[in-house]
Amino acid sequence: MTTLLLARHGLTDLTGPVLAGRTPGVHLSEAGRAQAEALAARVAGVRLDAVVSSPLERCRETAHAVADGRGMDVLIDDRFIECGYGGWTGRPLKELAQEPLWQVVQAHPSAVTFPEGESLAGMQHRAVVAVREWNQRLGEKAVYLVCSHGDVIKSIVADALGLHLDHFQRITADPAALTIIRYAPLRPFVLRLNDMGELRLPEDSEEKDGGENITGSDAAVGGGPGTT
């Protein structure tokens, strides 16, 4: 089973009041750099086979905080870039909240294409395809980290949970938070969501008994025993 650690980038000076989108030159703030270092410390005990990032500066800087101490390269994948918000890019959120499209983004995101920009459905498709290809490339025992953006992460989680994209606004991805998804042969499992705590990955269920799972299922009946 391949394990994906999804990390949102740390804070920037625009995070919150402005929709930064794909604006170039948006770097981590001082608080964001501290968050990135804390993220690196939280995953320090976890083996990583790759560290992958959106091409935008704030993600690359967050990913480097994790990779540099391990002597690893940060691999850039454009498919994890922020949604293309088009004409909404760089505008204050308070102003955008007055737009008629805002309510559609909240209630029916699968129908949204941003003015001169990308559709949310298109964003989800390219991000999920990227995850599946990295899973295949790295192999079933791999553990890897992807640093991306809030809406991208939420859309990947929605896919893993089997949720329609119209429900993805129910998911939260805070700056520097971790979400962990394990991709098993039959289905994905969301192990942690928007987590800021110390990280310890649970073992694969097949490996606990030292043998093959003879039930043909990758989910434990009754919810499973948890981890200690």
Side-chain angles (χ1 to χ4, degrees):
M1 293 190 277
T2 311
T3 304
L4 167 63
L5 280 59
L6 281 169
R8 187 181 171 195
H9 61 79
L11 285 165
T12 74
D13 290 334
L14 298 183
T15 306
V18 174
L19 186 64
R22 297 180 183 179
T23 303
V26 178
H27 297 273
L28 294 180
S29 63
E30 182 177 351
R33 291 191 292 273
Q35 287 180 323
E37 292 300 328
L39 171 66
R42 280 155 49 210
V43 302
V46 176
R47 170 185 60 83
L48 292 178
D49 296 291
V51 177
V52 186
S53 177
S54 155
L56 296 179
E57 292 92 342
R58 56 194 185 271
C59 282
R60 289 193 281 112
E61 290 164 359
T62 304
H64 271 289
V66 174
D68 288 355
R70 300 168 179 257
M72 297 177 67
D73 294 327
V74 173
L75 307 174
I76 303 301
D77 190 328
D78 290 344
R79 295 172 296 181
F80 292 121
I81 197 171
E82 179 64 284
C83 184
Y85 296 117
W88 279 28
T89 302
R91 293 175 61 187
L93 291 180
K94 286 184 178 180
E95 178 183 300
L96 292 173
Q98 307 306 312
E99 296 277 355
L101 185 62
W102 180 269
Q103 293 303 319
V104 187
V105 172
Q106 304 308 312
H108 192 20
S110 66
V112 170
T113 298
F114 292 97
E116 302 175 356
E118 185 179 25
S119 70
L120 285 169
M123 174 202 71
Q124 182 186 46
H125 176 73
R126 46 112 164 148
V128 169
V129 168
V131 167
R132 298 291 182 171
E133 290 184 3
W134 278 102
N135 290 351
Q136 184 175 20
R137 173 179 173 180
L138 295 173
E140 63 179 11
K141 297 298 183 182
V143 179
Y144 70 107
L145 182 142
V146 170
C147 187
S148 189
H149 307 268
D151 281 348
V152 178
I153 291 170
K154 288 159 57 179
S155 73
I156 294 170
V157 174
D159 172 77
L161 290 172
L163 292 177
H164 194 282
L165 184 60
D166 285 345
H167 299 307
F168 99 132
Q169 297 290 25
R170 303 182 184 194
I171 300 165
T172 299
D174 288 324
L178 273 173
T179 291
I180 304 173
I181 305 171
R182 178 162 285 166
Y183 288 87
L186 298 182
R187 62 180 71 81
F189 294 88
V190 177
L191 305 184
R192 293 199 183 192
L193 182 64
N194 200 43
D195 191 273
M196 298 295 290
E198 183 180 356
L199 180 62
R200 179 171 180 263
L201 293 181
E203 299 174 18
D204 291 346
S205 59
E206 291 182 358
E207 294 176 350
K208 288 182 179 179
D209 298 326
E212 183 179 359
N213 183 340
I214 61 172
T215 65
S217 173
D218 49 15
V221 175
T227 58
T228 57

